[in-house]
Amino acid sequence: MRSILAVDDSASMRKMVSFTLTGAGYHVVEAVDGQDAWEKAQTHSIDLVLTDQNMPNLDGLGLTRKLREHPKFKTIPILILTTESSDQMKQLGRAAGATGWMVKPFDPGRLIEVIQKVIR
């Protein structure tokens, strides 16, 4: 079973994402911010990271950069799911190493479709 690290400081958003992903057959590890996600990524086998951008402690771009610096996470897909939709933010995401960018609110079917495309 593929494992996804879902990172969002909003409990309701984590629950919606988790519900969508578990319904599609994925195991979900939840994290409350980038720092929590970084710690959980060290102790769990993760196949994909789905992260919010705007969070306390460590934001989505910071988490992406930190993960990409580590050999273990060089090739793992990282999707940023956020309310941020500007081209500038998307470019920053790509520069940080994000695989893709999706804007909230998300369409559950589309989210699963994108994950299936990028997950190995």
Side-chain angles (χ1 to χ4, degrees), residues 19-38:
F19 178 79
T20 300
L21 298 177
T22 52
Y26 295 102
H27 170 72
V28 179
V29 177
E30 292 183 23
V32 298
D33 61 32
Q35 188 56 46
D36 185 34
W38 172 247

Side-chain angles (χ1 to χ4, degrees), residues 34-50:
Q35 188 56 46
D36 185 34
W38 172 247
E39 290 162 13
K40 287 182 174 161
Q42 304 303 310
T43 57
H44 292 79
S45 175
I46 301 295
D47 297 294
L48 181 138
V49 176
L50 181 65

Side-chain angles (χ1 to χ4, degrees), residues 17-113:
V17 166
S18 192
F19 178 79
T20 300
L21 298 177
T22 52
Y26 295 102
H27 170 72
V28 179
V29 177
E30 292 183 23
V32 298
D33 61 32
Q35 188 56 46
D36 185 34
W38 172 247
E39 290 162 13
K40 287 182 174 161
Q42 304 303 310
T43 57
H44 292 79
S45 175
I46 301 295
D47 297 294
L48 181 138
V49 176
L50 181 65
T51 182
D52 185 20
Q53 164 52 22
N54 300 311
M55 301 177 290
N57 302 319
L58 184 62
D59 67 13
L61 293 177
L63 173 62
T64 300
R65 282 188 210 97
K66 198 165 183 168
L67 288 168
R68 289 297 184 226
E69 287 168 4
H70 197 288
K72 181 179 169 184
F73 305 109
K74 280 265 191 258
T75 60
I76 288 182
I78 300 174
L79 297 176
I80 297 181
L81 178 64
T82 179
T83 55
E84 298 279 353
S85 60
S86 74
D87 286 340
Q88 183 187 7
M89 283 303 291
K90 291 176 186 174
Q91 285 173 341
L92 289 171
R94 272 193 295 278
T99 310
W101 192 280
M102 295 184 73
V103 179
K104 293 176 189 173
F106 70 94
D107 171 89
R110 178 82 181 113
L111 178 63
I112 297 303
E113 197 179 294

